[in-house]
């Protein structure tokens, strides 16, 4: 699954954000992207448990520059990972990912920070719809 084939990403920082995505975004229309470095502080098991609540949505776990966290995520069943390409072990982790059919992204894709958007308001829903339709730039969304 190359980066171009991934749907627009939404950063998932909590179960509340995940519930909002499931309420407002059809399954498959968004990539559930963990917070930066979440593999290290949340762990791949907790991430897998969280995204299991949202069947039909692709997901990616961010490992920052920690190759060990990426390898642990592969063992836990994560199949789309982000590992900074400056990581000295990037090539080795990429090889391990390829062996299990996983995708290793060299950088976080641009992602919508849904936690700062009020989806109760038309402007918030419009912002989300624009993001999903690809009508956005790659700069970080409003904070």
């Amino acid at each position: 699954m190359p980066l171009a084939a991934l749907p627009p990403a939404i950063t998932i920082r909590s179960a509340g954000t995940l519930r909002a995505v499931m309420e407002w975004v059809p399954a498959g229309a968004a990539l559930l992207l963990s917070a930066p470095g979440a593999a290290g502080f949340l762990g791949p098991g907790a991430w897998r448990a969280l995204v299991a609540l949202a069947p039909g949505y692709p997901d990616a776990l961010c490992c920052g520059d920690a190759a060990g966290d990426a390898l642990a995520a592969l063992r836990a069943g994560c199949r789309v990972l982000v590992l900074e390409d400056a990581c000295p072990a990037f090539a080795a982790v990429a090889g391990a990912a390829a062996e299990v059919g996983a995708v290793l992204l060299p950088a976080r894709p641009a992602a919508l920070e849904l936690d700062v958007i009020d989806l109760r308001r038309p402007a918030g829903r419009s912002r989300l719809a624009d993001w999903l339709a690809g009508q956005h730039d790659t700069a970080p969304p409003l904070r």
Side-chain angles (χ1 to χ4, degrees), residues 52-84:
L53 300 173
Y57 293 85
D59 67 274
L61 179 60
C62 183
C63 303
D65 64 356
D69 290 342
L71 292 172
L74 289 173
R75 284 190 300 275
C78 297
R79 291 299 172 251
V80 181
L81 303 175
V82 178
L83 180 66
E84 295 172 12

Side-chain angles (χ1 to χ4, degrees), residues 7-63:
I10 297 177
T11 301
I12 304 300
R13 295 183 185 273
S14 68
T17 307
L18 182 61
R19 282 191 298 275
V21 168
M22 291 168 46
E23 180 177 347
W24 293 99
V25 179
L31 173 70
L32 307 177
L33 179 63
S34 76
F41 63 83
L42 179 64
W47 175 251
R48 298 293 325 135
L50 180 63
V51 297
L53 300 173
Y57 293 85
D59 67 274
L61 179 60
C62 183
C63 303

Side-chain angles (χ1 to χ4, degrees), residues 3-11 21 25-26 28-33 57-58 109-112 128-136:
L3 183 58
L6 294 173
I10 297 177
T11 301
V21 168
V25 179
L31 173 70
L32 307 177
L33 179 63
Y57 293 85
L112 183 70
L128 174 60
D130 288 350
W131 181 261
L132 295 173
Q135 298 172 3
H136 56 82

